[in-house]
Amino acid sequence: MKKYFSYVAFAMVAACSLVFVSCSDDDDEPKGGDTNPDVSSELVLNNIGRTGWSGNEDNGVLTYVPYDADEYGDDWQPYYAFDFTNGVCQDAVFGLICESTYMAQQLERLFKTGAWADMDDDDDDDYYDYAALRKMQSRLKKVTRAYDGYNLSDLALTVYRNGKTIYITVDCLVGKDNGTVRKTIDIWQGNDSDLSEILIGKWDDANNRYINNNIYGINTKYQIDTEFANNLLKKYMTTITFPNKTWAALMFENLEEQNEQIGDIYGLYPQAELNGRVITEDAVIIGDITKVQTLEIIAALDILMSQPFITMLVD
């Protein structure tokens, strides 16, 4: 793993767009080998070819292999695969081809039981970089101490396995055209920096509302409600509905830390509330932010929040 949980947590917190500053202002063991019968077997690979894009994006299978795939060594090789009909994505998969079936079984267990979030620093399995999880563990321990009745099994992730390949479905790209699929993956992989267009969620201009029904691939609803006066942003309220209270509590812990830092810098504290599995956040607005600028921010968050959580754990 090269990305730490602090990055993942920051990304989740960034969903709330805590502060807006005008540019004009001063500076249990799972069963092994569970496959998904709804996913085409053509998308579950046992080996990968060249890096980058290859295949048929109109009628057939299109694959993407990260350009830095060799940096993962022998542990696993990541890839994306898509099934297209008439240029529209029918199935989408993110997969890890592990060096052995045993490794795939272990990773499957970690993800399916939620054990990925509760691994000890002195564990000696050589297939996992435990240093990348220390910050996550610290925050999870705070959550379990502060909230009675919460357990790490709530953080289980849905994965499938076929032999030495484990994979997840990337549901946010199903139904999208080939151009949107390519652009989204290129942005996630750092090959494209154009974040000016909302690609995954929906913007309702009549109600000044953005909705994305499945951020991070964990069945979490993300809603932004805005208000404008004379084309300037006056209110930016975020509502995130998580699949359970543990996810919400974990992210609220990170949100509170960020709010303290923002308050120290700007003297204004964003107002966040946790109610069961729902987090609401009233962002701080400093200076004049136009509607166009607000939509640019939402477009960037649309892409960032849609990337499956599990891809950040193994990337």
Side-chain angles (χ1 to χ4, degrees):
M1 290 182 194
K2 296 189 292 297
K3 294 180 181 175
Y4 291 75
F5 180 72
S6 55
Y7 167 76
V8 179
F10 171 78
M12 292 294 283
V13 172
C16 294
S17 291
L18 305 175
V19 59
F20 290 84
V21 181
S22 170
C23 294
S24 62
D25 283 274
D26 288 336
D27 297 58
D28 308 313
E29 287 288 312
K31 295 179 180 178
D34 289 340
T35 60
N36 187 335
D38 297 325
V39 171
S40 169
S41 59
E42 293 183 89
L43 305 186
V44 184
L45 309 181
N46 290 316
N47 55 74
I48 56 175
R50 64 184 179 86
T51 58
W53 292 100
S54 60
N56 190 326
E57 65 179 33
D58 294 316
N59 291 285
V61 173
L62 179 71
T63 62
Y64 176 84
V65 177
Y67 290 103
D68 60 352
D70 58 339
E71 294 183 11
Y72 294 87
D74 296 328
D75 290 345
W76 53 61
Q77 295 291 317
Y79 74 91
Y80 288 90
F82 310 92
D83 183 19
F84 283 96
T85 300
N86 297 324
V88 177
C89 181
Q90 307 300 312
D91 281 328
V93 158
F94 171 79
L96 289 173
I97 304 172
C98 300
E99 67 171 350
S100 67
T101 299
Y102 172 74
M103 178 181 290
Q105 289 172 330
Q106 297 306 306
L107 287 176
E108 179 188 28
R109 179 187 65 81
L110 292 174
F111 292 135
K112 281 190 170 183
T113 62
W116 61 270
D118 190 35
M119 301 171 72
D120 295 327
D121 291 340
D122 58 359
D123 286 343
D124 57 3
D125 301 274
D126 59 6
Y127 58 81
Y128 218 72
D129 179 4
Y130 298 109
L133 300 175
R134 288 172 186 161
K135 207 156 198 175
M136 178 190 301
Q137 291 171 305
S138 174
R139 290 193 169 100
L140 286 166
K141 288 175 182 176
K142 290 181 182 179
V143 170
T144 55
R145 283 200 303 266
Y147 301 94
D148 293 335
Y150 292 70
N151 59 74
L152 297 179
S153 64
D154 287 341
L155 301 179
L157 299 169
T158 301
V159 300
Y160 306 95
R161 183 177 65 82
N162 184 359
K164 65 178 184 177
T165 302
I166 64 171
Y167 61 98
I168 63 169
T169 57
V170 186
D171 297 326
C172 67
L173 293 179
V174 174
K176 303 295 184 182
D177 63 72
N178 47 26
T180 298
V181 169
R182 275 181 171 267
K183 184 172 183 62
T184 299
I185 298 301
D186 280 338
I187 290 173
W188 289 351
Q189 293 296 307
N191 305 324
D192 190 332
S193 59
D194 179 11
L195 305 176
S196 61
E197 183 180 359
I198 294 175
L199 299 176
I200 307 299
K202 300 294 183 183
W203 171 255
D204 178 356
D205 199 56
N207 294 301
N208 291 316
R209 174 179 294 160
Y210 167 84
I211 294 179
N212 187 331
N213 286 314
N214 189 18
I215 63 170
Y216 280 105
I218 56 172
N219 295 318
T220 295
K221 182 179 179 181
Y222 177 36
Q223 180 171 318
I224 301 171
D225 290 285
T226 60
E227 294 179 9
F228 299 89
N230 298 320
N231 201 42
L232 296 178
L233 181 66
K234 297 302 178 183
K235 189 174 184 65
Y236 187 105
M237 177 68 75
T238 300
T239 304
I240 309 179
T241 305
F242 291 90
N244 55 58
K245 294 180 179 179
T246 303
W247 275 110
L250 171 61
M251 296 310 165
F252 190 74
E253 178 75 31
N254 287 279
L255 192 58
E256 290 283 83
E257 292 180 12
Q258 290 288 332
N259 285 348
E260 286 295 323
Q261 295 174 14
I262 288 171
D264 292 342
I265 295 171
Y266 296 103
L268 297 171
Y269 291 83
Q271 299 301 306
E273 293 184 4
L274 173 64
N275 184 10
R277 60 192 184 97
V278 179
I279 292 176
T280 56
E281 172 85 347
D282 194 359
V284 170
I285 302 169
I286 302 174
D288 294 337
I289 309 297
T290 67
K291 186 171 184 176
V292 169
Q293 291 172 324
T294 302
L295 287 176
E296 289 174 348
I297 293 169
I298 292 175
L301 292 170
D302 173 68
I303 295 295
L304 176 64
M305 298 302 114
S306 296
Q307 184 172 355
F309 182 82
I310 199 170
T311 67
M312 299 182 190
L313 290 177
V314 300
D315 194 6

